[in-house]
Amino acid sequence: MAITGEIFRQNLTELLEESPSGSPELHVLAVDDSLVDRHVIERLLKVSSCKVTVVESGRRALQYLGLDGETGSLGLDSTKVNLIMTDYSMPGMTGYELLKKIKQESSMFREIPVVIMSSENVLTRIDRCLEEGAEEFLLKPIKLSDVRRLKDFIMKGKVKEVEKKSLKRVRSIDCSPPLSATYSPISLPCDPSPSLLSPLSSKKARL
Amino acid sequence: MDRNQSRRQIAAMKQSLFDQGLLDEQFIQLEELQDDANPNFVEEIVTLHYRDSSRLISSIDQALKERNPLDFNKLDTLMHQFKGSSSSIGAKKVKAECNLFREYCRAGNAEGCMRSFQQLKKEYAALRKKLEAYFQLARQAGPQETACRSK
């Protein structure tokens, strides 16, 4: 049980950054041209225990991710982003255009979920964004419950990824049980039986 | 004024702003983001909104002066920003005026735009005055009065 827990934690921290307290944190990149909205979204995310980077334009977002063709890949492990939240209506590059650029990437950046935020409930706009691969379309003003829901959704996705990895690793560890029927007082370090799922699901509940 | 009186007065002031339709649920959402470490978050956000508003009102005033013809697209874009900023602080009535203005823009109704903008400026000034009084009272009473989040 202890080994599976450790492998799980290692895998999760590979995918997420560690906060100062040691627990994995979601890193969100928020993009909005409105000063007020940048402050609000930053606060919403911090209150929801996320690491936040806020930028004012699509161009700056691409720069941050290293996708603007100028900075190139500078070993951007420190800027691992788990979610992008972008306003739709922005001067220069709209949120939709930013979404397209990210989804056109042939690298892992394409995998980053992108959420569009807009104050306008325009069906064609919503459809277009979802078709282009947006995870969700949120109506402004964004609520705390929206952020919490998003976070849960992203974390569940991460847990599923990690579960798959952990199951593969543990199965490959040699853990053959003793052939004799006598009960051994020494407990085995791991148990590749169906009960494997319970320590993982209890971890899931903790997240 | 003792603590309890202050608390009651602040609560009454806030309730009145809601009853008059000046503020909506978003204002409460912002209050929920306050805590001991960030006790003045709402006031900070509202102050940023004033900064945005002053700039945008000035730009719209200017654009309305440049007639023959009015640039309705430009006006709509500016008002969209103003509406967004107002919406983010829960300024319900001001937001409604913004929507009206935008409808006039889309209809190409210059008179309508100018009339509704005058009304909007009045609503904005009235709200600002009331909020300034509210935050002043809240600050005097101490951080416990507005902070909502429990640790």
Side-chain angles (χ1 to χ4, degrees):
Chain A
M1 301 289 184
I3 289 179
T4 58
E6 195 42 51
I7 289 170
F8 180 89
R9 232 190 83 76
Q10 278 169 19
N11 284 350
L12 196 60
T13 52
E14 272 164 29
L15 293 167
L16 301 171
E17 296 188 41
E18 276 208 24
S19 72
S21 63
S23 53
E25 267 189 335
L26 217 64
H27 182 189
V28 184
L29 176 65
V31 192
D32 203 316
D33 63 316
S34 157
L35 182 64
V36 170
D37 289 349
R38 281 202 299 278
H39 275 76
V40 174
I41 194 76
E42 184 182 42
R43 185 80 192 126
L44 281 170
L45 289 165
K46 283 199 170 139
V47 157
S48 307
S49 309
C50 296
K51 178 176 162 170
V52 195
T53 301
V54 199
V55 296
E56 65 196 15
S57 70
R59 201 172 58 84
R60 285 248 183 273
L62 292 173
Q63 262 174 5
Y64 183 79
L65 295 166
L67 297 174
D68 61 341
E70 282 167 42
T71 36
S73 58
L74 299 166
L76 294 163
D77 289 324
S78 56
T79 62
K80 240 178 306 190
V81 166
N82 306 116
L83 169 66
I84 297 169
M85 294 180 76
T86 178
D87 188 27
Y88 183 93
S89 312
M90 296 188 291
M93 188 187 295
T94 66
Y96 175 70
E97 285 161 352
L98 174 62
L99 165 70
K100 276 211 292 190
K101 281 213 154 65
I102 291 166
K103 293 302 172 187
Q104 276 162 12
E105 279 291 307
S106 54
S107 60
M108 56 158 182
F109 288 103
R110 191 173 53 183
E111 302 299 315
I112 305 175
V114 181
V115 169
I116 309 283
M117 307 179 281
S118 177
S119 57
E120 288 171 319
N121 197 358
V122 180
L123 212 58
T124 48
R125 180 182 289 189
I126 298 171
D127 282 342
R128 207 153 41 116
C129 291
L130 294 176
E131 263 166 50
E132 204 58 47
E135 207 61 55
E136 205 171 327
F137 189 99
L138 293 175
L139 226 48
K140 281 178 158 186
I142 309 296
K143 297 189 183 46
L144 205 57
S145 55
D146 291 326
V147 175
R148 284 188 177 146
R149 205 164 31 89
L150 265 180
K151 189 185 171 187
D152 284 345
F153 173 76
I154 307 288
M155 291 302 271
K156 275 206 190 102
K158 294 268 163 266
V159 168
K160 278 204 175 75
E161 269 181 73
V162 171
E163 271 179 352
K164 280 188 210 156
K165 279 191 191 172
S166 301
L167 282 170
K168 279 186 197 152
R169 274 211 225 175
V170 172
R171 280 199 189 113
S172 67
I173 293 171
D174 189 23
C175 263
S176 34
L179 294 168
S180 70
T182 49
Y183 175 75
S184 165
I186 303 159
S187 54
L188 295 164
C190 69
D191 177 9
S193 67
S195 66
L196 185 69
L197 292 171
S198 33
L200 291 175
S201 41
S202 67
K203 296 264 183 194
K204 208 194 281 190
R206 281 230 297 276
L207 290 166
Chain B
M1 196 183 294
D2 74 352
R3 267 281 147 85
N4 284 326
Q5 264 186 294
S6 295
R7 240 174 262 162
R8 277 199 298 271
Q9 201 178 3
I10 290 162
M13 211 185 247
K14 190 166 37 165
Q15 190 55 48
S16 153
L17 291 170
F18 278 89
D19 291 341
Q20 292 171 65
L22 297 178
L23 291 178
D24 63 29
E25 166 66 26
Q26 176 61 12
F27 194 80
I28 309 275
Q29 281 285 308
L30 293 180
E31 287 190 320
E32 282 178 8
L33 299 175
Q34 288 187 151
D35 58 22
D36 295 343
N38 299 269
N40 303 309
F41 177 71
V42 188
E43 193 178 0
E44 286 162 17
I45 293 295
V46 171
T47 305
L48 288 174
H49 166 68
Y50 294 155
R51 210 200 288 179
D52 262 355
S53 305
S54 300
R55 182 180 50 87
L56 289 164
I57 286 173
S58 179
S59 298
I60 295 170
D61 260 328
Q62 192 53 45
L64 284 170
K65 287 197 182 106
E66 291 158 7
R67 286 193 245 176
N68 305 314
L70 276 184
D71 187 345
F72 289 111
N73 272 334
K74 184 178 183 181
L75 287 166
D76 190 58
T77 302
L78 289 169
M79 189 50 79
H80 170 78
Q81 290 177 53
F82 189 45
K83 179 200 153 184
S85 189
S86 305
S87 170
S88 296
I89 68 150
K92 188 176 183 181
K93 214 167 198 188
V94 171
K95 185 164 109 171
E97 291 298 336
C98 293
N99 282 332
L100 191 60
F101 181 93
R102 292 184 81 194
E103 269 174 50
Y104 284 126
C105 275
R106 285 161 194 176
N109 185 339
E111 274 309 307
C113 281
M114 286 188 279
R115 256 186 299 120
S116 79
F117 189 56
Q118 293 314 310
Q119 186 58 29
L120 191 153
K121 281 194 281 187
K122 277 193 198 141
E123 296 290 351
Y124 169 75
L127 176 65
R128 185 165 170 165
K129 194 171 173 190
K130 291 187 167 121
L131 283 176
E132 276 165 2
Y134 173 77
F135 286 122
Q136 189 170 33
L137 200 65
R139 256 183 282 123
Q140 279 168 8
Q144 300 96 303
E145 304 319 317
T146 47
C148 284
R149 287 180 59 75
S150 47
K151 277 264 155 118

